[in-house]
Amino acid sequence: MTDTALIERIAARGDGVTADGRHVAGAVPGDRIAADGTLIAGPNRSEPVCSHFGKCGGCQLQHVAETALADFVRDRVAGALAGQQVAATDILPAIVSPPASRRRAALTALRAGKHVAVGFNAAQSNQIVDMRQCPLLLPELFALVAPIRGLLGAIAPQRRPVKVKLQMLDQGAEVVLEGVRAEGLDAAMALQDFAGAHALARLAIDQGDGLEPLWQPEPPTVRFGEIAVEVPPFAFLQATAAGQAALVEAVQRAIGDAPAVADLFAGVGTFALSVQQGRKVYAAEGARDAIAALTGAANRARALVATEHRDLFRRPLVPSELDRFGAVILDPPRAGAEEQVAQLASSAVPAIAYVSCNPASFARDAKQLVAGGYTLDWVQPVGQFRWSTHVELAARFSRA
């Protein structure tokens, strides 16, 4: 078919791309573009499972079949590394979280008259897509959307956005509302009744002066291995249990049996507490509430985890500190960890487990580690944010 062009890959923002670099919205590898610009469907398309797809910004890739979706996640990592001219011995097949498994989400609500819209924003827009179904969220979280819509009809301000944060914890769902005013007895009672009726683990609101827990029958926890952590409101957790399990397994494989490990950017202890059995762990984190939660959990469990509140951007561990460890776990925010990586590149640490939520910053940091003498042994791509262009990974670097 000389009058068509084949879509070969999906770009970072979800467009299909031809061999000559043309971007086509909504195209999938295997599709063809006819001379008149119409799309000829190929074998890698899938019927979107949500009526909001195409409007809601929560998903970009529901039209992509499962195999092609996994290939996209892997190719994002491979492409980022190739762009930095970093060779990886092995880029493993991607692990993609299943539908209806997302255990945390930040939605937006807006009250206009008697109508309240609750949902993700439309793609590249501030418009809210009023969520009536969601194949991404855990069913227990989606079941709260309609009741929250009713609650906000009574307490949300008119035409001012309200942030609605949902997260599943050990005791049940956590709901955090930002931008509401719980003024008067009726509003206070409505919030209490809502929390009790839905057996929430925690209900917290921010009226402009910081978060205030209104309902918390017992300390809300999340469990890493055998250790439960009392987490602060909407503490950062991995987006799905399956994604967390994949990343923890990759980290355990990367650090092997190292008797002493440093976990840098440790958060509330996702990796430090998951790998602490049979070894000593040092955990550093810049967020005060997160490191306090990790410290408390480690102390209660009498785990061999030493913690430090430390800004690793301003005060990274230097080689004389790093060289005490048989392995280092690195899980920085999206911007990566240039300052800490520069110190690691000059260290003698035998193995590094690098967890990243941004292939581009990971590839930049990987280039610096390889220039410092490390080998990138393997990378495990992980698609926790199913049907999204957001890609995560875990990787192992080693020094001979």
Side-chain angles (χ1 to χ4, degrees), residues 35-214:
D36 62 0
T38 58
L39 190 68
I40 303 171
N44 292 315
R45 300 190 68 83
S46 181
E47 189 66 27
V49 295
C50 181
S51 61
H52 299 309
F53 179 68
K55 298 177 182 178
C56 176
C59 296
Q60 297 85 44
L61 301 173
Q62 280 190 21
H63 62 298
V64 180
E66 192 72 14
T67 299
L69 183 64
D71 288 345
F72 165 77
V73 173
R74 185 182 184 278
D75 291 347
R76 279 289 312 281
V77 176
L81 289 170
Q84 293 286 350
Q85 299 180 316
V86 175
T89 302
D90 193 10
I91 302 178
L92 301 168
I95 298 172
V96 180
S97 291
S101 65
R102 181 92 166 262
R103 66 181 180 184
R104 62 183 272 123
L107 310 177
T108 305
L110 187 69
R111 180 184 177 196
K114 295 182 179 180
H115 177 72
V116 179
V118 181
F120 292 108
N121 284 2
Q124 300 180 343
S125 169
N126 290 326
Q127 181 183 356
I128 300 164
V129 177
D130 196 18
M131 183 184 285
R132 301 294 169 166
Q133 68 176 123
C134 184
L136 279 179
L137 292 181
L138 283 171
E140 299 94 323
L141 291 185
F142 176 70
L144 291 171
V145 172
I148 287 171
R149 191 180 286 114
L151 173 68
L152 293 179
I155 67 170
Q158 286 284 349
R159 300 190 179 278
R160 291 177 59 186
V162 174
K163 271 296 177 189
V164 179
K165 296 179 178 179
L166 307 176
Q167 184 153 253
M168 186 58 63
L169 304 177
D170 292 341
Q171 293 77 16
E174 173 185 52
V175 177
V176 176
L177 303 176
E178 299 177 0
V180 298
R181 286 280 182 187
E183 296 176 337
L185 181 60
D186 288 346
M189 291 299 295
L191 288 162
Q192 292 281 338
D193 290 346
F194 174 84
H198 298 284
L200 297 185
R202 175 164 49 207
L203 172 63
I205 67 170
D206 186 345
Q207 303 183 75
D209 300 316
L211 279 178
E212 175 188 0
L214 298 183

Side-chain angles (χ1 to χ4, degrees), residues 20 58 69-70 72 90 109 118 133 139 182 231 237 242 303 322 330 344 376 395 400:
D20 60 1
L69 183 64
F72 165 77
D90 193 10
V118 181
Q133 68 176 123
V231 291
L237 303 177
L322 293 165
L330 200 62
L344 278 165
L376 177 52

Side-chain angles (χ1 to χ4, degrees), residues 320-336:
S320 61
E321 297 172 292
L322 293 165
D323 291 347
R324 297 178 294 168
F325 301 104
V328 167
I329 303 166
L330 200 62
D331 182 18
R334 287 190 61 80

